[in-house]
Amino acid sequence: MIERVKVAVVGVGNNTSALVQGIEYYRRTGSLVGICREEIDGLGVGDIEFVAAFATSPGKIGKDLTEAIFLPPNNFPRLDGRLPPAGVPVTEGLVDKSGIDRVAGALADADVVLYSAPSGRPVIARAYAEAARRAGAAFVNTTSDTVARDPECLARFVDSGVPLIGDDLASQFGTSVLHDALLRLLAARGISLVSSYQVNLGGTEDFRNLVANPNTKKQSKLNALSDADKVEMAPLGYLPHLNSQKVAHLNLEAQGWAGTAVSIDVKLKVHDPSGAAGVNVDLVRIAASAKRGSRGGYATEATPLLKSPPGSAI
Amino acid sequence: MIERVKVAVVGVGNNTSALVQGIEYYRRTGSLVGICREEIDGLGVGDIEFVAAFATSPGKIGKDLTEAIFLPPNNFPRLDGRLPPAGVPVTEGLVDKSGIDRVAGALADADVVLYSAPSGRPVIARAYAEAARRAGAAFVNTTSDTVARDPECLARFVDSGVPLIGDDLASQFGTSVLHDALLRLLAARGISLVSSYQVNLGGTEDFRNLVANPNTKKQSKLNALSDADKVEMAPLGYLPHLNSQKVAHLNLEAQGWAGTAVSIDVKLKVHDPSGAAGVNVDLVRIAASAKRGSRGGYATEATPLLKSPPGSAI
Amino acid sequence: MIERVKVAVVGVGNNTSALVQGIEYYRRTGSLVGICREEIDGLGVGDIEFVAAFATSPGKIGKDLTEAIFLPPNNFPRLDGRLPPAGVPVTEGLVDKSGIDRVAGALADADVVLYSAPSGRPVIARAYAEAARRAGAAFVNTTSDTVARDPECLARFVDSGVPLIGDDLASQFGTSVLHDALLRLLAARGISLVSSYQVNLGGTEDFRNLVANPNTKKQSKLNALSDADKVEMAPLGYLPHLNSQKVAHLNLEAQGWAGTAVSIDVKLKVHDPSGAAGVNVDLVRIAASAKRGSRGGYATEATPLLKSPPGSAI
Amino acid sequence: MIERVKVAVVGVGNNTSALVQGIEYYRRTGSLVGICREEIDGLGVGDIEFVAAFATSPGKIGKDLTEAIFLPPNNFPRLDGRLPPAGVPVTEGLVDKSGIDRVAGALADADVVLYSAPSGRPVIARAYAEAARRAGAAFVNTTSDTVARDPECLARFVDSGVPLIGDDLASQFGTSVLHDALLRLLAARGISLVSSYQVNLGGTEDFRNLVANPNTKKQSKLNALSDADKVEMAPLGYLPHLNSQKVAHLNLEAQGWAGTAVSIDVKLKVHDPSGAAGVNVDLVRIAASAKRGSRGGYATEATPLLKSPPGSAI
């Protein structure tokens, strides 16, 4: 019989809410809707269980994981259906490198640590990675902070025989995926792009943070596109009423035969945290599979799911 | 030095207008905008010249090809820039099988016959094919009439060592291409389609004919899509003011992680005749290349550009 | 204290489903969302109650009204919240003029008869009107069948001192309302319309019927618009998966200063039966108020809510 | 015979380009497309002529007005058709209050001074106003700088019997006009707004300046809307490839009967400078009419065309 994957999650934001609720949804319904891979190394979506959770927000600490995921500023919707308590109280997370051993102790049970805190605190990210390594748990970094693409850090995981996956998850389906697909489709058919724009609007805390620090994100979004020199990115718009929905408007103006106009306008609506959860559920299973196989270091099968795997610019 | 490809065109409608004007546009500008393949067997777009043209509309007969393409009901726009006379008067076309020898005689100079008349008259289509075969000119059937996928007809071309390409051109870029790409993209990312619709609006004579006979077209459009059982086609709308523009509205409603909604709305605007011309320019060059190489029968490299190549249902 | 309005409803389709569920929704929540007029002559939305219901579909007859509204082909959604039984069994309706007295007897308790059956059976519509008149109940014709604009019929109601309201309700908010507002806005600002189109897609039984008989509807839709000679209507599209939702795509191409382009594209999504219920709730209250005031014949305050009030072409 | 209106224009940007080209367009074609009022006090659009022009950009000074309007950063398109030279060289404009008398001298011939420089330099705006007053020419302030709503300034014009019109032109047709019309339409039909957003994208120098100073503009845009507390404004997007086009995406989510969803999505494309020119042509004629009638001070018939007429907050 298959053992369940025991996951410790760092960060109790929208992405964790989507993951925790979704796993229960799939377990209860048996549905495969929205699932890319039914099984990875024999592991189904419902085989994931949570054994620890870390957060720094005082309101969340001490609450059961299944309660904490609904506290503000989280705004991913409450899915229909009962959500039984996880039996996992949220524990106080790291604010500097001083608590690594405490956290490592709390990870004794965990197969995988899913690092899902806000981006932008690389020292903390690496501190959790170190705690995971000491505890022998595979580490998955879903943020853009440099962990797996840091050669020294990766070397330590290799030496310890512990898996390390990251950095920066690529959403299952979002603006970049769609925009890039359209740009490539035009190119494949011999249609010449003239100009294109992308507008992104969202209402999550994550979005609010990105709006405050727009340039990195804009460049990273352009990096995800082919023919990017003809694409213009409008500034990100933080619109609180959208809650966890993301809305994108895309326009592509192009020329076909003899320069005649081809014009495409798109509106996309998705739930940002769903796009993360759909990928996290694969990253966690890949990490678990690597751990079972005693494959230390980076698991290359994760590469299509990441924006900055080892070897990317730091 | 490369010889030009000498083309006889049957049908002087919008598609021929786009092709004739476009070839002059590319010759004059040297542009490669909207071109899929710069050269095919050394043949550039500007290496195509017209040596004969057939039509049945009394108003067009006797006019120079470059004048006849602007007569009603044609409504493809007049492109900027000078269009020198082709020196090719439009000749009376076939209305039954009686004039095959006359047409064969008029094809003495032609390397390729491009059959671009309205679909729906298979007897006429095959009569032109026979004339081409007798004259030793490669035949390209861009209509949905059964010619190349008729085994007897194909066998005659094989026996005569004359190339035959068809049937039914697949537009360079249109609603089906875009809709299918989006359906495949969702599937590839594990997003589950719930429902989808497609609305097509256009203002050409071709569109008016399709509206009068909608069911075949609806089915053929569904055939072009993956996941077609969840796609609903609105009736075609003939809106004269659109002229040669086609407008499509696509909607895809899907479910991602835990059933959360993914929604895509698209508006596409293209010139229908441009989509035909962009493919015809490749079919003509493939046919010319096959003729040069003395390859009789079907030229398999045309398959990606056709909806019903030999072997398709008749 | 205000007496409730006692309503008999003819037709147990989507519009009746929206009305019955909605009245309970407003009674329970006290909400005023989506309500144009909180009170009419002192009557609130929650003051309406149902005392009789007629239908011809065998599956619906005998069921409580609150059950029958969910039977196929009805597809208006089940609103959240409890819907207590109405205590009103659906009664067999008229199929010709023979049962007028039976129906009149069943209307003894009713203040108002709301005629909400499918359009296209004027003899039946007038038979119900006659039954209402005999019973002394105000009659509201929401269909396009000729009842109130039939001078003889209206005269009988005037003579009997019974109110008669109709014909053909104007939806609270739909494609015509929005399209016309945009056309008028352009005109008011001096922007010259060049062309416009309207696409309507829906999934109700009503829509299916209209698709089968499109020309009347197309003309009636054009009648609702200013600047209609420049507007083209795409054929109605019956897309079953839309259920009771209606989707419209509008485009307006215009010219402003010195002929420079102004372009507007709109997508509208509404629930068709909601647009009917929002008006029916006013028509019923206007009828009740006229009855209380012993005002026989047509109640002119209903005119803004009707497409064909008395005096319209028959 | 009607005398022409002699106009001196301050600022040779996109708005002036649209005005100068457009007047010639209407004179040549006799068209009334895009014109709100054919005549104002007997004055047609073609009765406007330019007699002086002021700018500070060294590249524009000395050039004929009809040349200078095409110099960068101007990017309003060159309209089809011949544009005869105006015979008006662009003169060096004011950079402080020192040149008022020089400018007043150059205005000897002018009936109206149209102040169309970038907003944000109120001292310069009032210096030009003073020059106009001394020359006896009516002054029209199209910028948001405080001129006509400055009581002292207005009093001087009243005392001198010279007309003064301003401040801040309201575009003939733009995002605010359309968004507000939709919000009012929903309210009029009893549909309850839940949320709404507005995205504005443009490629003019004007847009680039607004992006750098977004908050004032955002508030001013909200001021133009009813139900503004439920409307969220995305940050303005400066997308150079749009040139003088403005693109807006509007969304309105609302609730109709029983809270069922009503959803409207709009894409609007306009030329920003056209929206200004279409109003400037009326403001200039109103000013000329007031001058002819010797009506000093503010001309109240201009109020519907202004955002901040006298009496507005300063």
Short mmCIF file of all heavy atoms in Angstrom, two decimals, chain D residues 11 13 33 71 77 93 114 147 157 204 214 221 238 246 252 255:
data_model
loop_
_atom_site.label_atom_id
_atom_site.label_comp_id
_atom_site.label_asym_id
_atom_site.label_seq_id
_atom_site.Cartn_x
_atom_site.Cartn_y
_atom_site.Cartn_z
N GLY D 11 0.56 76.35 -27.88
CA GLY D 11 0.83 74.92 -27.77
C GLY D 11 0.59 74.28 -29.11
O GLY D 11 -0.47 74.43 -29.71
N GLY D 13 0.86 70.84 -29.90
CA GLY D 13 0.93 69.40 -29.62
C GLY D 13 -0.11 68.64 -30.45
O GLY D 13 -0.62 69.14 -31.45
N VAL D 33 -19.31 64.65 -40.49
CA VAL D 33 -19.01 63.48 -39.66
C VAL D 33 -18.27 63.89 -38.38
O VAL D 33 -17.29 64.63 -38.45
CB VAL D 33 -18.13 62.49 -40.47
CG1 VAL D 33 -17.32 61.59 -39.57
CG2 VAL D 33 -19.02 61.66 -41.39
N LEU D 71 5.84 67.25 -35.88
CA LEU D 71 7.16 67.00 -35.26
C LEU D 71 7.00 66.27 -33.93
O LEU D 71 6.02 66.46 -33.22
CB LEU D 71 7.88 68.34 -35.06
CG LEU D 71 8.18 69.09 -36.38
CD1 LEU D 71 8.83 70.44 -36.08
CD2 LEU D 71 9.09 68.24 -37.27
N PRO D 77 -2.04 61.01 -36.16
CA PRO D 77 -1.72 60.61 -37.54
C PRO D 77 -1.90 61.76 -38.53
O PRO D 77 -2.66 62.70 -38.30
CB PRO D 77 -2.72 59.49 -37.82
CG PRO D 77 -3.82 59.65 -36.84
CD PRO D 77 -3.20 60.27 -35.62
N GLY D 93 7.15 80.95 -27.54
CA GLY D 93 6.13 81.18 -26.53
C GLY D 93 6.73 81.69 -25.22
O GLY D 93 7.95 81.82 -25.08
N LEU D 114 -6.62 80.25 -28.16
CA LEU D 114 -6.92 78.90 -27.67
C LEU D 114 -5.70 78.39 -26.94
O LEU D 114 -4.67 78.11 -27.56
CB LEU D 114 -7.27 77.98 -28.85
CG LEU D 114 -7.58 76.53 -28.47
CD1 LEU D 114 -8.90 76.46 -27.70
CD2 LEU D 114 -7.66 75.66 -29.72
N VAL D 147 -7.56 79.24 -14.33
CA VAL D 147 -7.61 80.55 -14.99
C VAL D 147 -9.02 81.12 -14.85
O VAL D 147 -9.24 82.04 -14.08
CB VAL D 147 -7.19 80.45 -16.48
CG1 VAL D 147 -7.29 81.83 -17.14
CG2 VAL D 147 -5.78 79.89 -16.61
N PHE D 157 -11.34 90.16 -16.75
CA PHE D 157 -11.95 90.00 -18.08
C PHE D 157 -13.33 90.66 -18.12
O PHE D 157 -13.71 91.27 -19.13
CB PHE D 157 -12.05 88.51 -18.45
CG PHE D 157 -10.79 87.98 -19.09
CD1 PHE D 157 -9.68 87.65 -18.31
CD2 PHE D 157 -10.69 87.83 -20.46
CE1 PHE D 157 -8.50 87.18 -18.90
CE2 PHE D 157 -9.53 87.36 -21.06
CZ PHE D 157 -8.42 87.03 -20.28
N THR D 204 0.34 58.85 -25.99
CA THR D 204 0.76 60.23 -26.25
C THR D 204 1.67 60.74 -25.14
O THR D 204 1.74 60.18 -24.04
CB THR D 204 -0.46 61.17 -26.32
OG1 THR D 204 -1.14 61.13 -25.07
CG2 THR D 204 -1.42 60.75 -27.44
N PRO D 214 0.06 60.15 -11.25
CA PRO D 214 -1.21 59.46 -11.47
C PRO D 214 -2.34 59.85 -10.53
O PRO D 214 -3.50 59.78 -10.92
CB PRO D 214 -0.84 57.99 -11.25
CG PRO D 214 0.34 58.02 -10.35
CD PRO D 214 1.08 59.29 -10.64
N LYS D 221 -10.79 61.31 -12.58
CA LYS D 221 -11.58 60.35 -13.35
C LYS D 221 -12.73 59.79 -12.51
O LYS D 221 -13.83 59.58 -13.00
CB LYS D 221 -10.69 59.22 -13.86
CG LYS D 221 -9.84 59.66 -15.05
CD LYS D 221 -9.17 58.47 -15.69
CE LYS D 221 -8.93 58.70 -17.18
NZ LYS D 221 -10.15 58.85 -17.96
N TYR D 238 1.15 53.71 -20.00
CA TYR D 238 1.74 54.41 -21.16
C TYR D 238 2.33 53.35 -22.09
O TYR D 238 3.34 52.73 -21.77
CB TYR D 238 2.80 55.40 -20.68
CG TYR D 238 3.62 55.99 -21.81
CD1 TYR D 238 3.01 56.76 -22.80
CD2 TYR D 238 5.00 55.77 -21.87
CE1 TYR D 238 3.77 57.30 -23.84
CE2 TYR D 238 5.75 56.32 -22.90
CZ TYR D 238 5.13 57.07 -23.89
OH TYR D 238 5.87 57.59 -24.91
N LYS D 246 -6.21 55.91 -27.72
CA LYS D 246 -6.44 55.51 -26.34
C LYS D 246 -7.29 54.25 -26.35
O LYS D 246 -8.24 54.14 -27.12
CB LYS D 246 -7.16 56.60 -25.58
CG LYS D 246 -7.49 56.19 -24.15
CD LYS D 246 -7.47 57.36 -23.21
CE LYS D 246 -8.88 57.89 -23.03
NZ LYS D 246 -8.86 59.05 -22.11
N LEU D 252 -18.21 46.02 -15.68
CA LEU D 252 -19.24 46.32 -14.68
C LEU D 252 -19.89 45.01 -14.28
O LEU D 252 -20.43 44.29 -15.12
CB LEU D 252 -20.31 47.25 -15.25
CG LEU D 252 -19.84 48.65 -15.70
CD1 LEU D 252 -19.48 48.65 -17.18
CD2 LEU D 252 -20.88 49.72 -15.39
N GLN D 255 -26.01 43.23 -10.19
CA GLN D 255 -27.02 42.24 -9.83
C GLN D 255 -28.39 42.75 -10.22
O GLN D 255 -28.77 43.88 -9.88
CB GLN D 255 -26.98 41.97 -8.33
CG GLN D 255 -25.73 41.19 -7.92
CD GLN D 255 -25.74 40.86 -6.44
OE1 GLN D 255 -26.02 41.73 -5.61
NE2 GLN D 255 -25.43 39.62 -6.10
#
